[in-house]
Amino acid sequence: MEAVADSTATPSTPVDVVLVGGGIMSATLGSIIRLVEPTWSIRIYERLDAVAQESSNAWNNAGTGHAALCELNYTPEKADGSIDITKAVAINEQFQTSREFWQHLVSADLLPEPEGFIASTPHMTFVRGAANVDYLRRRHAALVVHPLFSDLEFTDDPAVVGEWAPLLVAERSSDEPIAATRSTSGTDVNFGALTRKLTDYLESTGAELHLQHEITSLRQRKDGTWRLKVADRSWNAAERRSTVDAKFVFIGAGGGALPLLQKAGIPEAKGYGGFPISGLFLRTTNPELVAQHQAKVYGKADVGSPPMSVPHLDTRVVDGETSLLFGPYAGFSTKFLKKGSLLDLFLSIRPSNIVTMLAVAKDNMDLTKYLISEVTKSRWNKFKTLRDFMPTADPKDWEFITAGQRVQVMKSHPEKHGVLEFGTELITAADGTIAGLLGASPGASTAVPAMVDLLERCFPQQFPAWHRELATMMPSLAPQEWSSEEAFAELEADDADFQKTA
């Protein structure tokens, strides 16, 4: 994909939509807008030389189609011992909406066949120790009665666990209680490939992609439009600096979103800070090992560790090649992007968020200690964490790769002054002319409902008409009760062909 020269639109002719960042969020929003408003002009700015090079890149994330089938942090235990499945149900519903949108694009020949970006991969949870086994049993009992989780299986029999995932039990001591759950409806998603396909679709409809172009600042004009300053980072740029005017701006730049929202000066972004977390994965392409493990297996996070550091041993399918990925190993860097600057964290400090950031630092000393311990661990001690999952793991089969950079949300709080959030946060201006997305997991898996939410907030007048059209593409957007067997049966029928090809 080649960058388009800025001269194609002068500042006096505002672009309808400017998307900042060439990741899954911008590609998703652009695709939805193109379907409901095909005449709107769309322009994408990406500072690197290709789209999907940061968090959306296949090797910078685990590729889990997050549906809460295996992630324990979405099903917390209440004080009375019961399991709260509220968040798990919500995330599963959101992922179903994303899949419906992808299915619509494929069925309408707007995307290639889905095997290029999604693969059917069982999702498992694996725990050790009597207390964790008991928790997992109760979690399964709470979830399985809901139609969205009806295929979830539970076992505390090592032989059955071995049938599901042989590498988990080979040479494991029989004295240790273990248990697992499995859902065969899970998926592995190559969000990098999906982003590229969505971007290709947008370009085919007239959207302009500007690679190696970075938005350096932006300000709102008196007429409500935004003027963005653009720096051309290509080595042979004819014009290094230019401007573009936009009626609507979406900042989907991952860790780079917060600094740009701050530069925009909207009051809704005040008080927000970013807590960057880096990490590593272990990867193997050994055909013998890959053949023995066909699942994404999530464990339980250590006390004090962030949810994104939950250990998991995953089947990954990237560009037709299958491998295994284990991790992530959390670390700390002051960069907000993998290819960012070490000054990112410090430059994000503002008078409006310094109290928030200090309060978060004070209340999260356990997290700080955990990150320090992870950073100072030797490679062998890191590898031993894999051995807890896979007792037969041999260092010669595995290599370390750098994971993507995540920036967790710090936000003001009326009582605690500041709290650390591990989800995603959509920030929209009161006049609906600019929006941005902060945070990490479940992120890409819920991109479609997040962007539909953005459209509802930013375009309240147009949205009722759009919603009727979108509901024909994504039936789950229509009002319904997911606990209804009829509604779930309809979802399964609509998804059957997509699941088969995936």
Side-chain angles (χ1 to χ4, degrees):
M1 300 182 216
E2 295 182 354
V4 180
D6 280 323
S7 59
T8 57
T10 64
S12 60
T13 307
V15 177
D16 290 311
V17 177
V18 164
L19 305 173
V20 183
I24 186 63
M25 293 298 174
S26 290
T28 298
L29 179 59
S31 298
I32 296 174
I33 290 176
R34 177 58 79 224
L35 290 171
V36 296
E37 291 290 348
T39 64
W40 283 13
S41 56
I42 299 175
R43 190 178 281 198
I44 308 167
Y45 286 96
E46 167 56 48
R47 69 189 189 93
L48 301 179
D49 59 3
V51 298
Q53 293 302 295
E54 285 281 351
S55 295
S56 300
N57 183 277
W59 294 120
N60 287 342
N61 59 70
T64 303
H66 284 288
L69 300 169
C70 57
E71 306 93 328
L72 296 181
N73 52 299
Y74 298 144
T75 50
E77 183 176 5
K78 297 180 181 179
D80 62 1
S82 63
I83 307 299
D84 185 357
I85 69 169
T86 305
K87 188 172 184 179
V89 171
I91 288 174
N92 194 298
E93 290 175 354
Q94 291 169 351
F95 184 61
Q96 300 302 337
T97 302
S98 291
R99 291 192 61 170
E100 287 172 350
F101 182 65
W102 304 336
Q103 179 185 357
H104 169 77
L105 293 175
V106 170
S107 62
D109 293 326
L110 303 177
L111 279 185
E113 290 303 309
E115 62 265 20
F117 64 87
I118 186 169
S120 181
T121 307
H123 284 195
M124 292 178 58
T125 305
F126 175 68
V127 298
R128 300 176 293 123
N132 290 332
V133 170
D134 177 63
Y135 163 76
L136 191 63
R137 182 183 290 108
R138 288 182 286 117
R139 176 185 186 270
H140 171 262
L143 284 172
V144 75
V145 296
H146 194 286
L148 289 173
F149 298 89
S150 60
D151 74 330
L152 194 64
E153 304 170 81
F154 171 86
T155 185
D156 57 4
D157 183 346
V160 176
V161 177
E163 292 175 5
W164 293 351
L167 297 181
L168 300 180
V169 298
E171 297 186 19
R172 183 176 295 279
S173 171
S174 59
D175 296 333
E176 183 180 39
I178 63 172
T181 56
R182 180 180 71 160
S183 172
T184 56
S185 63
T187 55
D188 174 74
V189 185
N190 183 336
F191 288 108
L194 178 57
T195 300
R196 291 190 292 272
K197 293 176 188 298
L198 290 173
T199 305
D200 288 345
Y201 159 63
L202 283 170
E203 284 197 288
S204 73
T205 65
E208 300 176 9
L209 174 64
H210 296 250
L211 298 175
Q212 294 182 287
H213 281 65
E214 182 177 6
I215 304 301
T216 58
S217 66
L218 63 168
R219 65 177 178 83
Q220 192 168 29
R221 306 172 72 201
K222 290 181 179 180
D223 63 359
T225 62
W226 288 87
R227 174 154 293 179
L228 293 80
K229 291 186 178 180
V230 185
D232 188 338
R233 302 301 190 193
S234 56
W235 68 272
N236 60 343
E239 186 179 5
R240 288 293 179 186
R241 303 282 176 180
S242 60
T243 60
V244 61
D245 292 343
K247 297 177 183 177
F248 174 76
V249 178
F250 171 64
I251 304 176
L258 177 61
L260 286 175
L261 283 168
Q262 290 175 330
K263 289 180 179 180
I266 59 174
E268 292 81 4
K270 293 186 182 299
Y272 281 91
F275 188 90
I277 297 177
S278 60
L280 298 170
F281 283 117
L282 277 168
R283 179 176 64 187
T284 181
T285 55
N286 184 324
E288 183 180 348
L289 296 178
V290 171
Q292 295 181 67
H293 189 82
Q294 299 296 319
K296 289 183 177 292
V297 184
Y298 275 56
K300 191 171 184 180
D302 294 332
V303 176
S305 63
M308 65 159 291
S309 297
V310 173
H312 44 93
L313 180 61
D314 295 348
T315 296
R316 288 301 331 263
V317 182
V318 178
D319 300 330
E321 298 294 328
T322 305
S323 60
L324 300 184
L325 202 68
F326 179 79
Y329 297 93
F332 179 74
S333 168
T334 54
K335 293 182 179 181
F336 277 1
L337 292 164
K338 189 173 180 179
K339 297 181 181 180
S341 166
L342 290 172
L343 296 176
D344 287 342
L345 174 60
F346 308 107
L347 293 176
S348 73
I349 298 173
R350 299 284 192 279
S352 63
N353 68 12
I354 191 168
V355 172
T356 298
M357 297 175 74
L358 290 174
V360 169
K362 177 179 70 69
D363 294 339
N364 289 272
M365 292 305 297
D366 288 344
L367 174 58
T368 303
K369 292 176 182 178
Y370 169 79
L371 292 176
I372 292 173
S373 69
E374 286 293 292
V375 170
T376 56
K377 271 185 182 177
S378 67
R379 290 203 161 205
W380 172 245
N381 282 331
K382 286 184 170 73
F383 189 82
K384 287 197 294 186
T385 309
L386 171 58
R387 284 272 181 92
D388 291 337
F389 256 69
M390 178 186 167
T392 58
D394 189 328
K396 68 179 177 58
D397 296 318
W398 298 81
E399 62 175 339
F400 280 100
I401 63 172
T402 304
Q405 193 77 356
R406 301 290 185 267
V407 180
Q408 309 297 342
V409 177
M410 293 187 282
K411 57 190 292 188
S412 58
H413 189 278
E415 297 176 1
K416 299 181 180 180
H417 299 295
V419 292
L420 185 64
E421 298 283 351
F422 289 101
T424 50
E425 189 92 6
L426 181 61
I427 298 176
T428 58
D431 64 1
T433 60
I434 189 169
L437 192 75
L438 305 177
S441 183
S445 300
T446 59
V448 174
M451 295 301 97
V452 171
D453 182 26
L454 180 151
L455 292 176
E456 183 174 14
R457 293 198 210 177
C458 294
F459 299 92
Q461 293 183 336
Q462 298 98 322
F463 187 77
W466 292 349
H467 186 267
R468 288 190 293 271
E469 186 174 353
L470 291 172
T472 65
M473 308 174 197
M474 297 166 274
S476 61
L477 291 180
Q480 61 181 299
E481 177 55 58
W482 281 106
S483 60
S484 161
E485 293 291 345
E486 292 79 9
F488 184 65
E490 185 177 344
L491 169 68
E492 284 190 315
D494 291 342
D495 192 53
D497 292 339
F498 191 68
Q499 177 72 13
K500 186 183 299 182
T501 55

